[in-house]
Amino acid sequence: MQVKLCALAVAYLQNMTQVNVLSEDLLALDAGQGQARSGQDPERLRLLDDPEEWTAFSLPEKDAPGRWRSSVVFEGMHCAACAITLEDALRSVPGVSEVQISGASHRGQIVWSSDQTRPSEWMHSVERLGYRALPANDAHAHQRRRDEARRMVWRWSVAALCMMQVMMYATPTYLSEQGEISAESMGLLRWASWVLSLPVMFFSCTPFLSTAWRDLRERQISMDLPVALGMVVTFVVSTLGTFEPDGPFGAEVFFDSFTMFVFFLLTGRWLELRLRDRTAGALEAVLNRLPDSVRKRQADGSWALQSIRRLAVGDVIEVLPGEAFAGDGQIVSGQTQVDEALLTGESLPLKRQVGDRVIAGSHNLSGTLQVQIEQVGAATRYAQIVALMESASVSKPAMAQLVDRWAKPFLLAVLLASLASAVYWWPTDPAHAVMVAVAVLIVTCPCALSLATPAAMLATAGALARSGVLVRRLSALQNLATIDTVIFDKTGTLTRDALQVLHIHTRNGVAADQALAWAGSLARHSLHPVSRALWSEARRQAEAAGTLPTLENLHAHDVSEHSGQGVQGMLSMQAGQRRSLRLGSARFCQAPAFSGHHLQVSLADDAGWLATFELAEEVRPEAAAVVTQLQQMGMALKILSGDGPVAVSQVAQAVGVMDAQGACSPQDKLQALKACQAQGHRVAMVGDGLNDGPVLAGADVSFALGQAVPLAQSKADFVLMGGQLQPLVSTLVRSRQTLRIVKQNLWWAALYNASCVPLALLGWLPAWAAGLGMALSSLWVVLNALRLAQPLPSPQDRPAPNMQTD
């Protein structure tokens, strides 16, 4: 045994030089980075106070002039309690009216008034607590995450190296019989373990200790506080036992337990970091797609580099292969293929040439293009998608909100339980009492419970985003899993957006082409599919007849749209003539009824009926298959449409829906929805039109197609960006999988605490095992949720729908 101890001493002296040098370097490195992370550059904060910079990470509130909604990312967060602390701090800033922060995505949205505060002020309130707020579009966010992961790996590596060394020196005490090792040799082993524990304590434990110190300083509490207390207590008690072997704590030291549970905790924290970044990858890939600068064509034909914030409608920019489009626009030179996968769900490259339109955020894959900008900033489709995704990333499902509310009281109960266990065991053995308290502190930390719901929800939201489905509210995933009824709108939902004018009936003295020109000029001011079809047909016929300039000279003004009925306005014609027109349903225009099974839209003036247009609809090719799959899943299906009963009945028969109702006003649709809900049904609504806004808002869950008008999208929980119905089935199946995994996570977290807490209180669970259990429980929750991060299967690879409900 003495020979073995001499060999251990020699190995110790050889290794300590390397460990000390490494720890000194890492401590210096961490200190320097810590200074850099302690706060943002004041100059940078003042730069963010410039109103020209606000649009980069904020959007103005439409219904509240002077108020902005800013999207930010928070550094230094670890749990739900951190989110609550940040929300309380930000709400205390004058001028901040609304705060919502997700502990899982580390993102938040802050609504503030420019009359009362500036971004630097509410960002400083966060820094005062030891966190850091950054604009969500910060170009260096990815690099900072990589730096954070690098520091985490260094800390984990030091903990692993020192743990192995400490375990080597602790092994003789476990294998030898009493009296085989002399007191001097035992002291040498303890001193060696203490020195090796110093880098772990003062470098590897830094994230836990700094967060705990911040909590104590600000009288707050987070999940790192009990963990840090356990680390400090274990190290201090073992240090006392090393310096005073004959003291009350000298019977045993716990450096092996200390280094082991630090290593296990860092392993779990690092894996959670990696998995969180992977889950948030789809969101960040969409949020950071725009370039910082563009090449703009000058008046003399030259090209100059300028900031994207100075881009204006009408500018012509050059887009090279591999670059993203900075705004919505029209190609004026060149041809290429574009990647719109993350914006529309279209996985295949799309061909684009002169005259075609491109959308901001999509990527140019092959050719060099010149694009004339038509929409910039918040007006682009990309900005609308970003707003939807940012809203989803900070929303909290009901189960997550419940966990958040109980996070701080639970942590306080953990501290009290740990203190009570120490008091109970102290008379028997002070050292054992301390270690029991440490085990209780560590094993009851509710990390797994706080991650159970948001980890699964965010993983699903990321997978849906990669498949072209945007989740506006995470709570909708929970609601969607319980849906038993689906209501469809018809026009633009079950049928294609484009319609074709088949027949035109006119009153005596009115030419068909003249009536079409009048109707098209009025219809161009409406977004309804019928209106777009009339304007498109009017332009086509005018181009064929060479009368397009005459059509363009027809100007409609004072146009108003009546939801579910039609549009009304004044048409100015040549020679100063003016004509008041109505375009819409037969009832709205007081038009006669014509026999036939096609959709009919009428035109009338002050003298009465002018014309009736018959339009044919094309049922979406995937609609019948989607209806069949939903019926196989046990869904009751219904169609509510404002179109005529005959047209609605035809589409219903084509897709296989037995319950269909036509001639519905927005109020009729809402009443039918409420009646269905009154019978105990959970209803999902799928629509795309202006008159779908009220029923989308009233449904338990709502879907809007990607080409839906902004009002419909603003009321919907999910947006099908590709304009296809098939993702509806996949989203429903994925929501049920999500709810099942959330329940599994919650049960696991509950069972873990229910089984391990009694063991810790009885003193049967050592500190290292508590650390291992805590790390493994959190890791299991995240890994289980990561199964949902897989993208939705393509239609040809999709298996039969799951018939089970959870």
Side-chain angles (χ1 to χ4, degrees):
M1 181 62 70
Q2 295 296 332
V3 174
K4 292 182 180 180
L5 288 175
C6 291
L8 287 173
V10 172
Y12 163 74
L13 293 174
Q14 291 175 343
N15 289 325
M16 277 313 302
T17 302
Q18 300 176 3
V19 172
N20 285 333
V21 171
L22 176 62
S23 63
E24 289 174 2
D25 292 341
L26 293 175
L27 287 170
L29 172 66
D30 193 57
Q33 291 171 336
Q35 292 174 2
R37 297 192 308 272
S38 61
Q40 295 193 64
D41 184 358
E43 292 295 332
R44 178 177 174 82
L45 285 180
R46 283 193 291 271
L47 179 63
L48 294 177
D49 288 342
D50 184 354
E52 293 186 359
E53 299 290 331
W54 295 349
T55 55
F57 64 100
S58 309
L59 289 175
E61 293 283 87
K62 296 179 180 179
D63 56 348
R67 292 176 61 187
W68 293 78
R69 181 178 295 271
S70 297
S71 298
V72 293
V73 177
F74 294 95
E75 291 185 350
M77 289 183 60
H78 299 295
C79 61
C82 293
I84 299 173
T85 299
L86 287 170
E87 289 178 350
D88 293 341
L90 288 166
R91 289 193 182 101
S92 66
V93 178
V96 175
S97 57
E98 183 181 336
V99 181
Q100 193 173 21
I101 299 173
S102 169
S105 66
H106 295 189
R107 289 180 173 269
Q109 287 191 341
I110 296 93
V111 178
W112 52 280
S113 172
S114 58
D115 298 331
Q116 297 178 269
T117 187
R118 287 291 187 269
S120 62
E121 297 178 13
W122 49 263
M123 284 185 176
H124 180 70
S125 70
V126 167
E127 291 187 355
R128 189 170 49 82
L129 297 177
Y131 300 92
R132 189 182 186 190
L134 300 166
N137 69 329
D138 191 29
H140 303 288
H142 180 67
Q143 183 60 41
R144 274 193 298 271
R145 280 206 330 274
R146 292 189 62 180
D147 292 341
E148 182 183 1
R150 176 174 171 268
R151 290 191 295 270
M152 185 67 73
V153 170
W154 273 113
R155 292 191 176 98
W156 176 84
S157 300
V158 170
L161 175 62
C162 295
M163 177 196 68
M164 289 186 292
Q165 296 288 333
V166 171
M167 286 302 300
M168 182 178 70
Y169 298 133
T171 300
T173 63
Y174 294 121
L175 300 180
S176 62
E177 299 293 336
Q178 187 174 5
E180 286 188 2
I181 303 179
S182 64
E184 293 80 4
S185 299
M186 185 66 72
L188 176 61
L189 292 174
R190 289 188 176 186
W191 276 96
S193 299
W194 178 77
V195 173
L196 282 166
S197 298
L198 291 177
V200 178
M201 184 67 196
F202 295 105
F203 176 70
S204 298
C205 296
T206 300
F208 306 99
L209 298 178
S210 59
T211 304
W213 174 246
R214 178 192 65 203
D215 293 338
L216 293 174
R217 188 176 65 248
E218 300 295 334
R219 296 184 177 87
Q220 299 288 343
I221 187 172
S222 71
M223 295 182 189
D224 279 352
L225 181 58
V227 172
L229 285 176
M231 293 175 177
V232 171
V233 169
T234 304
F235 181 78
V236 169
V237 168
S238 299
T239 300
L240 293 176
T242 301
F243 281 83
E244 296 184 8
D246 298 327
F249 303 106
E252 187 178 2
V253 294
F254 307 96
F255 293 118
D256 53 339
S257 295
F258 167 71
T259 54
M260 285 181 69
F261 79 71
V262 171
F263 169 75
F264 291 141
L265 292 177
L266 287 174
T267 300
R269 180 69 60 87
W270 176 66
L271 290 174
E272 288 174 25
L273 178 66
R274 290 289 302 274
L275 297 176
R276 173 171 55 84
D277 289 342
R278 177 179 173 183
T279 300
L283 174 62
E284 189 166 285
V286 172
L287 297 183
N288 298 321
R289 287 174 73 89
L290 293 188
D292 295 326
S293 58
V294 294
R295 285 174 297 281
K296 174 186 170 184
R297 188 169 68 188
Q298 305 300 302
D300 59 1
S302 62
W303 299 92
L305 198 66
Q306 73 169 35
S307 171
I308 189 176
R309 297 189 185 96
R310 298 182 180 273
L311 196 62
V313 174
D315 289 345
V316 176
I317 63 172
E318 185 181 45
V319 184
L320 300 178
E323 293 182 344
F325 296 100
D328 295 348
Q330 186 177 31
I331 299 176
V332 296
S333 176
Q335 62 179 2
T336 186
Q337 289 186 319
V338 298
D339 175 14
E340 298 180 357
L342 286 178
L343 302 180
T344 66
E346 176 56 60
S347 58
L348 298 177
L350 303 175
K351 184 178 180 180
R352 294 289 184 264
Q353 56 190 0
V354 175
D356 292 338
R357 282 175 168 77
V358 292
I359 57 178
S362 60
H363 273 94
N364 177 21
L365 296 180
S366 54
T368 299
L369 302 177
Q370 293 181 19
V371 178
Q372 185 172 29
I373 298 300
E374 297 177 339
Q375 300 284 354
V376 295
T380 63
R381 186 179 181 186
Y382 169 80
Q384 297 170 7
I385 294 173
V386 167
L388 293 176
M389 295 192 72
E390 287 179 335
S391 175
S393 68
V394 301
S395 63
K396 296 180 180 180
M399 287 185 286
Q401 293 176 357
L402 179 64
V403 172
D404 287 355
R405 283 197 300 269
W406 286 98
K408 287 191 174 182
F410 186 86
L411 288 171
L412 184 59
V414 168
L415 296 175
L416 293 176
S418 176
L419 179 62
S421 63
V423 171
Y424 176 81
W425 286 98
W426 190 271
T428 305
D429 185 349
H432 182 69
V434 170
M435 295 314 297
V436 169
V438 169
V440 172
L441 283 174
I442 297 171
V443 79
T444 55
C445 189
C447 292
L449 190 63
S450 66
L451 287 171
T453 299
M457 296 290 185
L458 286 174
T460 295
L464 292 174
R466 285 190 290 271
S467 302
V469 181
L470 295 187
V471 184
R472 293 194 66 245
R473 285 177 282 271
L474 289 182
S475 57
L477 284 170
Q478 180 179 340
N479 297 335
L480 182 60
T482 62
I483 291 299
D484 57 18
T485 303
V486 179
I487 297 178
F488 289 97
D489 178 44
K490 180 182 72 69
T491 305
T493 303
L494 291 174
T495 61
R496 285 195 181 276
D497 193 21
L499 299 171
Q500 181 181 5
V501 179
L502 295 182
H503 305 289
I504 302 178
H505 307 274
T506 62
R507 77 184 186 193
N508 293 333
V510 178
D513 57 347
Q514 185 181 49
L516 181 61
W518 291 349
S521 299
L522 183 60
R524 69 187 298 185
H525 296 275
S526 171
L527 293 173
H528 195 279
V530 172
S531 298
R532 292 200 294 267
L534 289 173
W535 171 240
S536 177
E537 181 66 15
R539 280 185 59 87
R540 188 189 66 79
Q541 291 192 14
E543 288 177 351
T547 59
L548 186 59
T550 303
L551 178 65
E552 296 288 352
N553 288 331
L554 297 176
H555 300 289
H557 52 88
D558 297 331
V559 178
S560 59
E561 187 160 0
H562 302 266
S563 297
Q565 301 180 65
V567 292
Q568 181 179 7
M570 187 70 66
L571 189 66
S572 297
M573 296 174 284
Q574 294 179 348
Q577 296 180 356
R578 293 160 60 90
R579 185 183 294 268
S580 177
L581 296 175
R582 284 190 173 196
L583 177 67
S585 64
R587 183 172 56 182
F588 183 61
C589 298
Q590 297 182 352
F594 291 88
S595 60
H597 303 297
H598 299 300
L599 173 66
Q600 297 182 4
V601 180
S602 299
L603 179 69
D605 61 6
D606 291 338
W609 172 75
L610 284 172
T612 294
F613 308 90
E614 290 191 37
L615 297 94
E617 295 180 290
E618 180 184 357
V619 177
R620 290 182 180 273
E622 76 275 13
V626 168
V627 166
T628 301
Q629 290 175 325
L630 291 175
Q631 290 172 340
Q632 290 175 351
M633 297 173 70
M635 296 289 157
L637 304 181
K638 186 180 183 69
I639 297 177
L640 298 177
S641 176
D643 296 336
V646 174
V648 174
S649 177
Q650 284 184 327
V651 172
Q653 292 178 6
V655 299
V657 177
M658 298 297 103
D659 189 355
Q661 182 178 343
C664 294
S665 66
Q667 291 74 20
D668 294 335
K669 290 185 178 183
L670 189 59
Q671 288 176 0
L673 172 73
K674 296 297 184 183
C676 190
Q677 291 173 327
Q679 297 174 4
H681 295 289
R682 303 277 293 175
V683 183
M685 176 67 195
V686 187
D688 81 322
L690 178 64
N691 59 346
D692 294 326
V695 70
L696 287 172
D700 296 290
V701 178
S702 53
F703 289 82
L705 271 70
Q707 71 272 21
V709 296
L711 177 61
Q713 289 191 357
S714 69
K715 302 299 183 183
D717 299 309
F718 300 88
V719 180
L720 308 179
M721 296 306 301
Q724 300 290 322
L725 286 176
Q726 189 62 56
L728 172 65
V729 179
S730 301
T731 304
L732 182 56
V733 172
R734 185 58 60 93
S735 72
R736 294 181 174 184
Q737 294 173 348
T738 302
L739 188 60
R740 183 166 61 249
I741 285 183
V742 166
K743 291 179 179 179
Q744 290 174 359
N745 287 348
L746 291 174
W747 273 109
W748 167 259
L751 290 174
Y752 159 75
N753 282 279
S755 59
C756 291
V757 170
L759 296 177
L761 291 172
L762 292 173
W764 295 349
L765 192 70
W768 67 266
L772 177 61
M774 174 187 165
L776 290 179
S777 64
S778 300
L779 183 60
W780 189 92
V781 163
V782 176
L783 287 173
N784 195 35
L786 193 61
R787 294 190 294 155
L788 297 167
Q790 300 300 321
L792 273 64
S794 59
Q796 60 269 24
D797 299 332
R798 188 172 290 112
N802 184 5
M803 303 289 290
Q804 300 296 324
T805 58
D806 295 290

